[in-house]
Amino acid sequence: MFPAPPSVMTSPKGNRAHKMKLPIFTRKGMLEVPSPTEKDWSKDDEDDCVFSDPEQEVDSLPQPYRMINKLVNFLFDRSWEIIEERDVLRTAELSRIQPTIYPPFMESTLNKTPNCMAVSQDYVFIGGTKGFSIYNLHNAKRIYVWEKLKVDVTSIWATDLGNEILIAPVDEMGIIRLFYFYKDSLFLIKAINEVDDTSKQTTCIKMEISEGGDFAAFLLQGAGDICLDVYKLPKESWLKEVEYPQLSADSKKKVRQLQLNTLDPVTTDTFEMDINICFRGDVKLSLPVHIMKIKPPKPVTGTTFKSPLEVFAKIEDCCGLGSGQNHFIKDSQWEQQVAIFNATYKKYLDGEWEEELLSMATFHFLLPSCIIAMPAEVKNPPGVACVLGVHWTGSHNFFLYSLNRTLKDKVDPESAWPCAAPITVSQLSCCCSYLVLACEDGVLTLWDLAQGLSLGVIALPERCLCQSIHFLKYFLVHKGRNMYPEGPVKSQMKCVVLGTDGALYLVAASGTQRPTLSLLVERPVKHPEEAICAVAPVRDLPGMVLIFSSNGSVHLMDVATSQIICAFAPPRSYHLGVPWKPVFVVSSHHPCFLLRGDHPDELGSASNAEDIPNSIFYFNFEACPLLENIRRNCTIPQTDMLDNAAFPQVLPLEKRCENFFQKR
């Protein structure tokens, strides 16, 4: 019940000093002097008067009732303002154009919570309780379960090796294992960082596999130390070993072990099996070769050299040039510089200092190019990575390490690319031709590794830093449609950049022209729940990206027009368990993506988190009518581009020179 309105709050009627008052007439509005002529008097005089009850007149309230009266008035006024604001927002929401929402094409119901997903070829790999499962991408049927761990799998990678697939799951203990999936068999290669002594156990934080699966790098942390281990993968040996496995001397033991291993999918899977996959624990594959262990660079301190000649002798082979380690600056000079800096910016430096975090690394495998200097005697096959690029937390340098070495060789970077500010984010394109380095001052440096030139430097808006970078397959806008060029395009790149303020930008670079920056999605000031938390390009649709928002919505955007094409959503009975960190994966070979959904009605009734029903929803772009025209004939023939003057950037140099002289 609400209290009586403050306008009718009066003193108690039981007061004996209160005098009786007779009803009176009061005139509404301003009082006027009547006209002396009766005919000019108003005939509605009675309507202008209102009957007023003296008992309803408001008396002056004593304290603390006046304060209570003000608080009640404020409460009612503020409540009414909130009601009006919500009404305006509701009206604006109804007036907004809602995109077409497409339901999932298929659903795969799981009896355990999936923590991660990966897609390769025609298979889906889902990490969960005590292992991972393999599903068929086309019919959503589970075909194998490997559950031999005591803890859950938290992340999983799958790399295409041709006809084979390399699987790398990481469990809650941080142990990473390599599996080899060939036809209808699954092989365990090695647990990379598993040791018998738990005090020496390290945790895998990141991993990266080179294009083609020739090398792998693992960032391991443990006992207050961190290092980057690099391995060479003998994939040719693996293929021979699985095609022609050596028979064991004890054939009975082998048959019995094989029978025990093949019982896993039958006993743990309740779905219909399309492919009989068995775990071949009897076959031992060649182990990866450890070739390099990289540690964070040492902080730059005073020189240990006694003369400049020693410095030049140290860098005679140009190894590590630009890292700042080989210099002739003494400790006293460093201390003097620090003292001057602290005295100049003392008012900004006062206060508590945060604890320095352990250095982390981001790394990429780079293909041979003219921008990467390699020894002349090194012959690297085409399409095989030759250099590992690494940058560490708080470091200005992007170090380049040659992969043509052994574990006995000294680990020194072949070269270093210094930046004006510490590097925070880096991203390599899928074709390994383009690299973007984002610094903590919001500046992006664009590199064309294939051609060996810089595509330029561009800065994000003020107070906006880079959160993530996502490369797009280069496309052109032809007759109002996004289309892929038929042939290869040189020195042309486009990527979307997600800022820390929630805004989304499109960065485009073309040869020697200045790169451009365009705003796709503004910072969500009025609707903070619509902040973008993840972005995923769709290679099957030119110029399209999936946008995942914090409120659980999933939209498909055309970056050329900044327009939302459509939306995707699971059934109403499901929602995203962690909307700001969705579990999803986009296939690079098929026009679909997968999204995990949780059942909210069962969250409260389930006694254990593992008992909560979950589903993996399959969204197929081919089943969306709005995308049929986009997917149909989305490639521009090379002849059309050469004859069209609207695309000078794709013309060969000779053709561009010819057109230039013809115009003059």
Side-chain angles (χ1 to χ4, degrees):
M1 296 294 292
F2 289 99
S7 59
V8 298
M9 297 183 66
T10 61
S11 59
K13 294 184 179 180
N15 189 357
R16 297 182 180 274
H18 187 70
K19 296 182 180 180
M20 297 292 295
K21 297 182 180 179
L22 297 177
I24 59 175
F25 284 95
T26 59
R27 182 181 296 272
K28 294 187 294 185
M30 297 294 295
L31 296 178
E32 298 178 355
V33 178
S35 174
T37 307
E38 186 177 354
K39 64 180 181 179
D40 296 333
W41 292 358
S42 175
K43 296 181 180 180
D44 300 331
D45 185 65
E46 294 182 359
D47 296 336
D48 294 338
C49 298
V50 62
F51 182 79
S52 176
D53 186 1
E55 294 295 336
Q56 299 297 328
E57 291 185 359
V58 180
D59 296 335
S60 176
L61 294 174
Q63 289 288 10
Y65 300 105
R66 286 202 303 270
M67 181 184 67
I68 297 175
N69 187 28
K70 291 182 179 180
L71 292 177
V72 173
N73 281 334
F74 175 78
L75 178 62
F76 274 91
D77 294 341
R78 183 57 186 153
S79 301
W80 187 251
E81 291 177 0
I82 295 176
I83 292 174
E84 290 181 337
E85 291 177 359
R86 292 183 178 180
D87 186 65
V88 171
L89 292 177
R90 188 180 297 108
T91 304
E93 185 71 21
L94 294 176
S95 62
R96 295 172 62 182
I97 301 176
Q98 299 297 331
T100 303
I101 301 178
Y102 289 107
F105 180 73
M106 288 188 300
E107 177 183 356
S108 180
T109 305
L110 310 178
N111 54 3
K112 297 179 181 179
T113 303
N115 299 324
C116 51
M117 291 187 295
V119 173
S120 182
Q121 297 183 10
D122 299 331
Y123 301 97
V124 182
F125 305 91
I126 301 177
T129 305
K130 298 182 181 180
F132 63 91
S133 305
I134 304 177
Y135 285 76
N136 190 312
L137 181 62
H138 301 288
N139 57 18
K141 297 293 184 180
R142 188 170 64 179
I143 57 180
Y144 184 74
V145 177
W146 188 87
E147 293 181 347
K148 299 180 179 294
L149 303 177
K150 297 181 180 180
V151 293
D152 297 347
V153 171
T154 57
S155 58
I156 190 169
W157 288 266
T159 303
D160 188 3
L161 302 181
N163 295 326
E164 312 83 41
I165 301 175
L166 184 64
I167 311 168
V170 180
D171 61 23
E172 291 179 326
M173 301 298 294
I175 300 176
I176 183 167
R177 296 171 174 84
L178 294 182
F179 290 85
Y180 190 73
F181 184 41
Y182 176 73
K183 291 183 178 179
D184 57 351
S185 301
L186 183 67
F187 306 86
L188 174 61
I189 300 174
K190 181 185 179 182
I192 296 296
N193 57 331
E194 187 176 24
V195 294
D196 296 332
D197 189 359
T198 56
S199 62
K200 299 180 180 179
Q201 181 64 58
T202 57
T203 301
C204 180
I205 304 175
K206 291 182 182 179
M207 73 155 294
E208 192 75 30
I209 300 177
S210 66
E211 187 71 20
D214 296 282
F215 297 92
F218 309 96
L219 184 63
L220 305 178
Q221 176 184 350
D225 192 14
I226 191 169
C227 64
L228 181 61
D229 284 356
V230 186
Y231 290 82
K232 186 174 182 179
L233 305 180
K235 62 177 186 177
E236 291 82 6
S237 301
W238 292 343
L239 185 58
K240 294 179 181 179
E241 292 166 356
V242 297
E243 288 183 343
Y244 308 102
Q246 296 180 356
L247 297 177
S248 174
D250 189 358
S251 59
K252 295 183 179 179
K253 181 178 179 181
K254 174 184 174 181
V255 172
R256 182 176 179 274
Q257 184 179 7
L258 183 58
Q259 290 176 349
L260 292 176
N261 290 331
T262 56
L263 288 177
D264 292 339
V266 179
T267 57
T268 58
D269 196 0
T270 60
F271 294 92
E272 180 183 356
M273 294 294 177
D274 295 333
I275 303 175
N276 294 323
I277 296 179
C278 62
F279 177 68
R280 301 292 302 274
D282 58 302
V283 179
K284 302 298 181 182
L285 302 184
S286 300
L287 299 180
V289 181
H290 193 189
I291 61 173
M292 186 168 34
K293 181 184 288 290
I294 304 174
K295 291 192 175 183
K298 298 178 181 179
V300 180
T301 57
T303 182
T304 57
F305 301 112
K306 297 181 180 180
S307 66
L309 296 178
E310 296 183 9
V311 181
F312 290 110
K314 182 71 175 179
I315 61 175
E316 184 177 359
D317 55 353
C318 297
C319 288
L321 185 63
S323 63
Q325 297 292 335
N326 302 320
H327 59 84
F328 199 62
I329 304 176
K330 299 181 179 179
D331 286 328
S332 58
Q333 294 174 308
W334 282 116
E335 295 173 359
Q336 183 180 7
Q337 185 67 26
V338 171
I340 295 174
F341 180 84
N342 293 336
T344 305
Y345 302 100
K346 181 179 180 181
K347 61 179 180 179
Y348 303 104
L349 300 176
D350 291 341
E352 298 182 359
W353 288 84
E354 297 182 359
E355 184 179 356
E356 186 176 356
L357 300 177
L358 191 64
S359 182
M360 301 289 291
T362 304
F363 41 96
H364 309 281
F365 288 98
L366 309 181
L367 298 179
S369 65
C370 55
I371 200 173
I372 300 175
M374 294 296 295
E377 63 274 7
V378 176
K379 302 298 181 181
N380 202 72
V384 178
C386 65
V387 168
L388 180 68
V390 186
H391 67 87
W392 298 85
T393 303
S395 175
H396 294 64
N397 298 320
F398 186 73
F399 297 98
L400 300 177
Y401 295 86
S402 173
L403 297 174
N404 185 29
R405 68 176 76 212
T406 62
L407 193 60
K408 297 181 180 180
D409 297 335
K410 188 177 180 180
V411 181
D412 283 329
E414 268 61 36
S415 59
W417 296 352
C419 296
I423 306 172
T424 57
V425 181
S426 64
Q427 188 61 46
L428 183 69
S429 63
C430 297
C431 59
C432 302
S433 298
Y434 304 100
L435 176 69
V436 176
L437 302 178
C439 299
E440 67 176 15
D441 56 358
V443 175
L444 306 178
T445 304
L446 317 177
W447 289 96
D448 183 356
L449 302 178
Q451 299 299 318
L453 56 90
S454 173
L455 295 178
V457 177
I458 194 168
L460 296 176
E462 189 177 0
R463 297 182 180 179
C464 177
L465 304 180
C466 177
Q467 182 177 346
S468 62
I469 304 171
H470 309 271
F471 275 95
L472 302 172
K473 185 178 179 181
Y474 188 77
F475 69 95
L476 300 170
V477 180
H478 180 55
K479 297 180 180 179
R481 293 183 55 195
N482 300 343
M483 305 186 74
Y484 288 134
E486 184 180 29
V489 178
K490 297 181 180 180
S491 300
Q492 311 288 332
M493 58 84 66
K494 291 183 180 181
C495 64
V496 290
V497 178
L498 179 60
T500 53
D501 60 351
L504 189 66
Y505 302 91
L506 174 64
V507 177
S510 177
T512 57
Q513 300 179 4
R514 293 184 58 183
T516 60
L517 179 72
S518 56
L519 179 64
L520 298 178
V521 180
E522 295 182 352
R523 178 184 178 185
V525 178
K526 296 183 179 179
H527 303 278
E529 71 280 357
E530 297 181 358
I532 300 175
C533 56
V535 178
V538 181
R539 293 181 61 86
D540 195 64
L541 302 174
M544 302 291 171
V545 295
L546 286 172
I547 297 177
F548 298 82
S549 302
S550 300
N551 58 3
S553 61
V554 183
H555 295 93
L556 182 69
M557 169 179 278
D558 183 358
V559 299
T561 60
S562 303
Q563 298 295 324
I564 299 296
I565 304 300
C566 60
F568 304 92
R572 291 184 177 272
S573 57
Y574 286 84
H575 70 170
L576 302 186
V578 187
W580 57 91
K581 193 176 181 181
V583 179
F584 71 96
V585 62
V586 181
S587 175
S588 58
H589 298 88
H590 302 282
C592 66
F593 77 98
L594 285 71
L595 179 66
R596 188 190 100 180
D598 301 328
H599 203 297
D601 298 337
E602 304 291 342
L603 294 178
S605 59
S607 58
N608 192 355
E610 298 180 358
D611 300 331
I612 300 174
N614 298 270
S615 292
I616 299 297
F617 296 101
Y618 294 68
F619 294 89
N620 193 344
F621 299 122
E622 293 180 341
C624 304
L626 287 177
L627 305 180
E628 290 182 0
N629 188 37
I630 299 176
R631 297 188 65 255
R632 187 187 302 115
N633 299 327
C634 60
T635 303
I636 306 179
Q638 189 75 16
T639 55
D640 293 351
M641 289 191 300
L642 297 178
D643 297 338
N644 196 333
F647 308 125
Q649 66 272 23
V650 300
L651 297 178
L653 179 61
E654 296 80 4
K655 186 68 176 179
R656 276 184 283 177
C657 294
E658 181 181 350
N659 294 342
F660 175 76
F661 287 113
Q662 286 179 355
K663 291 180 181 179
R664 294 178 64 88

